[in-house]
Amino acid sequence: MIFLAISFIVMLAFGMPVAFAVGISSSFYFINEAVPLQIVVQRMVSSTQSFSLLAVPFFVLAGNLMNETGITRRLIKFATVITGHMYGGLAQVSVVLSALMGGISGSATADAAMEARILGPDMEKRGFSKGFTAAILAMGGLIVSTIPPSIGLILYGVTGEVSIGRLFLAGIIPGALMTIGLMFSVYLISRKRDYKRELEKPASFKEVMIGLKENIWAIIFPLILIVGIRFGIFTPSEAGAFAVVYALVIGLFVYRELTFSKLLEVLHQTSIDLAVIMIIIICSNAFGYALVTGQVPQTLARAILTVSTNQYLILLIIMVFVFIIGMFMEATANVLILTPIFLPIITRLGFDPVHFGILFMILITMGGMTPPIGVTMYSTCSILGCPIDIYTKEALPFIATIVLLLVVLAIFPQIVLFLPNLVYGI
């Protein structure tokens, strides 16, 4: 196992993409241990043969379709109507937009990159510092990873055999609290720095209702999915297929902005997105098989459980470990590799796997927004031309806000589990 760890770290240090670093280091391990490569290939291929996993390509395609139907532009306008009068103006708009986009994109990095391209230049023109702009646009992606249909929650549910319907419901309240927390942080910073409002006065009730009417198809989308899954109308995978049809209908017949050329671009972008996701899934499965073969989960579990008998101290150790790993590896790979390791430990300690899943996803995603190798951080900073050190300094208040929220969610699991238990029963 030392050989596996060293080869993996060395390849990451030299800048090799995570999927290839995971796959190649796993191959080195199996060759060194004389494990037949036929078995390894079978394991890699079998990881794609999951019916539940079909939800991922469907939701990725649906998200890309809805981004090309004019929904994003309408959501920005609606978010401006709701929050444009607050201190921070466009920064507040970006946070609310992330909450609204959670039901569409399902990807923190995709949301942050989209907002950096659309809102970033305008925020800088209005006097927001480059570091503040990059930090809030990146950190807002955390909301997307929590509010359904989060791709990360789907992968966690598939890998850990946890109800995806319960996970979707569990993410709603934490996502809402995260939105409020980040908006409050933006308010405090913007008031201190005198960042301007986008609107002179709050929108009237009529203007809010008009905005709600324009965006009703996007806003009710997550609700339709959750209700459909809960009442057995469709499985999570079938919900993904429904999402694609829904997006096509909205684009073609409601907003009428989905042209044939846009559809081709959507399919092209989706094929690229899915190629990246699937190669990570395949290589991570091989890596996970290597870890199981080397009995790493059992060894790590024994080591952690000998530290203390206090379940919350052990949860803290695991969470810190997950956050640190998230700084170096892409979130999708982390979910697939770490879930089989830590979920058995957590359930053995008496924690609910749905509760742990929300904490787990928030921390793993936040790792992508912190140095040294945060994917979301690099995406946002590269688009805006922001130095990493300036970004890091500006992101600290937002990171502190999320950490405080995580502490509250860890101590009071009923906040996370209220909706799942209400809808599904305890």
Side-chain angles (χ1 to χ4, degrees):
M1 294 310 300
I2 296 177
F3 182 74
L4 174 68
I6 292 175
S7 60
F8 175 65
I9 292 171
V10 168
M11 281 183 276
L12 275 185
F14 278 96
M16 182 174 288
V18 172
F20 294 119
V22 168
I24 294 172
S25 59
S26 302
S27 300
F28 285 162
Y29 170 79
F30 290 124
I31 292 171
N32 186 60
E33 295 294 319
V35 176
L37 291 181
Q38 298 94 317
I39 296 177
V40 180
V41 173
Q42 288 174 359
R43 295 285 302 191
M44 295 173 74
V45 173
S46 66
S47 64
T48 65
Q49 309 303 302
S50 168
F51 180 74
S52 298
L53 198 60
L54 280 173
V56 173
F58 281 136
F59 278 119
V60 171
L61 175 56
N64 288 336
L65 280 170
M66 296 185 81
N67 282 336
E68 290 294 337
T69 59
I71 286 180
T72 300
R73 176 170 49 79
R74 289 175 171 84
L75 287 177
I76 292 174
K77 183 180 177 182
F78 183 47
T80 304
V81 168
I82 298 174
T83 62
H85 64 283
M86 300 179 181
Y87 275 102
L90 278 180
Q92 300 284 14
V93 170
S94 74
V95 177
V96 174
L97 179 62
S98 292
L100 296 174
M101 289 293 292
I104 298 175
S105 73
S107 168
T109 302
D111 174 74
M114 178 275 297
E115 292 194 23
R117 291 188 184 94
I118 297 176
L119 295 178
D122 286 338
M123 288 180 68
E124 291 186 46
K125 288 178 183 177
R126 283 164 172 76
F128 292 89
S129 71
K130 194 180 291 288
F132 176 85
T133 300
I136 190 58
L137 293 180
M139 295 299 295
L142 277 172
I143 305 170
V144 178
S145 70
T146 310
I147 292 179
S150 162
I151 300 299
L153 288 179
I154 294 172
L155 292 174
Y156 172 82
V158 172
T159 307
E161 298 182 355
V162 181
S163 168
I164 294 175
R166 292 183 71 93
L167 286 168
F168 278 1
L169 282 168
I172 293 176
I173 293 179
L177 292 176
M178 204 179 301
T179 303
I180 294 170
L182 289 176
M183 289 180 70
F184 184 67
S185 298
V186 167
Y187 168 80
L188 293 178
I189 296 171
S190 299
R191 186 163 187 175
K192 182 179 179 180
R193 299 181 184 180
D194 196 28
Y195 287 150
K196 302 300 181 184
R197 298 177 173 92
E198 194 66 16
L199 302 175
E200 290 297 325
K201 60 180 181 178
S204 66
F205 179 76
K206 181 179 179 181
E207 289 173 324
V208 173
M209 288 297 101
I210 291 173
L212 185 63
K213 181 181 178 181
E214 287 182 353
N215 291 277
I216 191 66
W217 298 108
I219 294 171
I220 67 172
F221 176 56
L223 181 63
I224 295 173
L225 297 181
I226 291 171
V227 171
I229 293 172
R230 171 60 185 92
F231 291 100
I233 299 173
F234 35 63
T235 65
S237 299
E238 292 166 347
F242 166 80
V244 173
V245 176
Y246 183 90
L248 283 170
V249 170
I250 298 301
L252 291 172
F253 303 111
V254 179
Y255 295 146
R256 299 180 181 179
E257 293 190 21
L258 185 62
T259 62
F260 182 72
S261 60
K262 285 184 177 180
L263 180 59
L264 289 179
E265 179 59 31
V266 164
L267 295 175
H268 176 258
Q269 184 59 49
T270 302
S271 64
I272 295 173
D273 294 340
L274 292 180
V276 173
I277 292 173
M278 292 310 295
I279 196 169
I280 291 175
I281 290 174
I282 290 170
C283 293
S284 296
N285 188 267
F287 195 84
Y289 182 55
L291 294 177
V292 171
T293 304
Q295 294 192 325
V296 171
Q298 297 90 325
T299 304
L300 191 59
R302 286 194 295 268
I304 291 175
L305 292 173
T306 56
V307 173
S308 172
T309 56
N310 186 299
Q311 64 178 148
Y312 287 100
L313 179 58
I314 295 174
L315 177 64
L316 175 62
I317 293 171
I318 291 174
M319 292 291 96
V320 170
F321 180 83
V322 166
F323 176 64
I324 293 173
I325 292 295
M327 294 178 180
F328 296 90
M329 286 178 57
E330 202 273 334
T332 302
N334 279 329
V335 172
L336 296 167
I337 292 172
L338 299 180
T339 298
I341 295 176
F342 291 122
L343 188 56
I345 301 175
I346 287 297
T347 52
R348 180 177 171 182
L349 291 171
F351 290 101
D352 190 289
V354 173
H355 175 220
F356 174 70
I358 299 301
L359 302 179
F360 183 65
M361 274 311 306
I362 293 173
L363 270 171
I364 278 183
T365 308
M366 189 164 68
M369 297 158 186
T370 53
I373 315 178
V375 176
T376 307
M377 174 191 70
Y378 274 117
S379 298
T380 307
C381 287
S382 63
I383 291 170
L384 297 175
C386 177
I388 299 299
D389 58 333
I390 295 176
Y391 164 91
T392 303
K393 180 181 177 181
E394 293 279 16
L396 289 177
F398 304 122
I399 294 174
T401 300
I402 301 302
V403 169
L404 179 61
L405 175 62
L406 281 167
V407 171
V408 172
L409 295 179
I411 296 175
F412 302 103
Q414 56 268 34
I415 296 175
V416 177
L417 299 174
F418 172 73
L419 285 179
N421 289 343
L422 179 68
V423 175
Y424 283 89
I426 301 175

